[in-house]
Amino acid sequence: MVNGLSKILQDRLGLRVLEYEIPEHANSIKYSLGGMTISAFTVLVLSGILLAQFFVPSPERANQSLHYLVDQVYLGWFLRGIHFWAAEVMTVTMTLHVIRVFFTASYKNPREINWLIGIGLMLLMVTLLFTGTVMKWDQEAYEALAHFLWVAEQMGIFGLPLTEEFAQGVPLLNRIYMAHISLLPIITLLMVGLHLFYVKYHKLSPLPESPEKSESMPFTRHMAYLQRAGAGVFLLICLLALTIAPPLGEEPVLGMEVTKPPWQFVWVYALENLWVPLLIVAPALTVLFLVSIPFVDQNKERYWKKRPLAMMFLVGFILLFTFLIIWGKVTTMTHSM
């Protein structure tokens, strides 16, 4: 009876499409970082929908509405903590996923397009992190927006849609909120779908050290592994939300610059202290470097021990950003926007 019902559901719902073979090494942490990132993003979306019921996207009430949520709404502090820590965990798993893809040369032929889609997704996630920072409208948020507006002004007519002048009468914070809860998540979901399509189309990349020895297993078994990994990610997010409250200041004092950005952006802060235009140049060069990787590295070799130059770039890239993040945290500001 149970088997008959299972067969009926599989036939009616098309679940048999998931019964294809994938390499057995997919059931490992390093090859499941992308799935963990999707799990954290799912928590972000669901918690964001709940948070939106309490948030007022106007400069006069945005900060107050968050303080009301944290101080007055039952478990409101926990809900905001889950949203904040889901973003932090997602940043870490996404970064590790990109490092793993580079380390195993999974960006090479025929997967170049999916690497570019992945970089696009990373940029979307960074934009979501930035808009989320601005929305809390405390001193840190105000100063982050001031830097953003300076960049938009340097872009001339191309930056006009990102400024207050583009839609006079509509607060920029309101437009940032709409982008955060609608435009950016919609584009992200579409690109995640495209990313997963190409993973299935090109198949999961084989182990670089022994591509011909990869055992196979049904994808449904990998889904079960991803469910357990996702549950672990959610448990970690809940533990962090219970123990460490996310930062939330009071309403900003306009014209002051006394805070530093979150760690995801503080590396740019460090470079900006050396030369202000690096606020534009550094992110652009970083994206250009990431985009160029599959086109510059045409060598067919995938095993890391046989790619010394690529490994030097990877280690150098990690060390540079680690140094800039630490430097940004300890350095003293030498200018004001």
Side-chain angles (χ1 to χ4, degrees):
M1 179 68 178
V2 174
N3 290 336
L5 179 60
S6 175
K7 184 178 183 303
I8 290 172
L9 288 175
Q10 287 178 341
D11 290 340
R12 299 301 186 275
L13 300 177
L15 298 180
R16 293 188 188 279
V17 74
L18 300 176
E19 295 178 353
Y20 60 92
E21 296 293 308
I22 64 170
E24 199 169 42
H25 63 262
N27 275 13
S28 61
I29 291 178
K30 67 178 182 179
Y31 278 91
S32 299
L33 288 165
M36 294 179 191
T37 303
I38 292 176
S39 297
F41 180 69
T42 302
V43 174
L44 266 176
V45 171
L46 295 177
S47 59
I49 291 172
L50 295 175
L51 282 173
Q53 313 309 309
F54 302 96
F55 184 71
V56 183
S58 70
E60 296 78 19
R61 298 183 60 190
N63 185 267
Q64 295 175 19
S65 67
L66 284 179
H67 277 285
Y68 174 80
L69 169 72
V70 172
D71 298 331
Q72 304 295 326
V73 177
Y74 180 67
L75 290 181
W77 60 272
F78 183 59
L79 175 61
R80 182 168 181 266
I82 284 179
H83 194 70
F84 173 85
W85 285 110
E88 298 291 299
V89 170
M90 183 191 70
T91 304
V92 173
T93 57
M94 177 179 63
T95 302
L96 292 176
H97 177 59
V98 173
I99 292 173
R100 196 282 300 168
V101 170
F102 185 91
F103 184 79
T104 58
S106 299
Y107 56 83
K108 293 188 176 183
N109 181 27
R111 299 177 177 86
E112 300 95 332
I113 295 299
N114 217 19
W115 168 265
L116 298 181
I117 294 171
I119 297 305
L121 278 169
M122 187 169 65
L123 292 177
L124 283 167
M125 296 300 188
V126 169
T127 308
L128 281 165
L129 287 169
F130 173 78
T131 52
T133 297
V134 172
M135 279 166 48
K136 57 193 176 81
W137 203 237
D138 55 7
Q139 193 65 36
E140 179 187 75
Y142 163 74
E143 293 176 23
L145 184 59
H147 285 68
F148 172 79
L149 290 176
W150 181 85
V151 172
E153 289 172 4
Q154 309 313 305
M155 295 169 63
I157 191 172
F158 298 104
L160 182 61
L162 307 175
T163 63
E164 291 273 12
E165 290 74 21
F166 182 73
Q168 294 188 10
V170 179
L172 182 57
L173 185 62
N174 189 275
R175 288 159 52 204
I176 289 174
Y177 171 72
M178 292 307 298
H180 186 80
I181 68 167
S182 59
L183 179 62
L184 293 172
I186 289 172
I187 297 174
T188 300
L189 288 172
L190 291 173
M191 290 191 67
V192 166
L194 191 60
H195 196 59
L196 294 176
F197 167 77
Y198 278 114
V199 170
K200 184 179 185 301
Y201 180 73
H202 294 301
K203 298 183 172 59
L204 194 72
S205 59
L207 290 172
E209 59 269 29
S210 55
E212 69 287 342
K213 295 181 181 179
S214 295
E215 301 292 332
S216 63
M217 66 178 181
F219 178 71
T220 48
R221 185 173 148 199
H222 182 52
M223 285 185 63
Y225 182 89
L226 287 179
Q227 288 172 358
R228 295 193 297 272
V233 166
F234 181 62
L235 177 62
L236 174 62
I237 291 169
C238 289
L239 289 174
L240 289 168
L242 284 169
T243 54
I244 308 175
L248 176 63
E250 300 297 328
E251 292 187 15
V253 178
L254 307 188
M256 290 184 61
E257 188 163 355
V258 294
T259 69
K260 293 180 181 180
W263 67 271
Q264 295 95 333
F265 303 98
V266 78
W267 64 276
V268 186
Y269 172 91
L271 292 173
E272 179 191 347
N273 259 349
L274 293 178
W275 185 47
V276 175
L278 283 174
L279 185 60
I280 302 173
V281 176
L285 289 178
T286 302
V287 173
L288 182 62
F289 171 74
L290 293 173
V291 167
S292 68
I293 286 173
F295 305 104
V296 173
D297 186 6
Q298 294 289 313
N299 191 327
K300 294 183 179 180
E301 183 57 58
R302 296 173 185 270
Y303 189 35
W304 69 272
K305 288 185 177 180
K306 298 180 180 179
R307 301 165 56 224
L309 185 60
M311 292 303 101
M312 285 174 57
F313 270 106
L314 177 60
V315 172
F317 206 68
I318 293 172
L319 291 177
L320 175 62
F321 272 81
T322 302
F323 169 75
L324 289 175
I325 289 171
I326 295 173
W327 186 27
K329 284 294 185 182
V330 301
T331 190
T332 302
M333 186 185 307
T334 58
H335 70 274
S336 174
M337 305 307 288

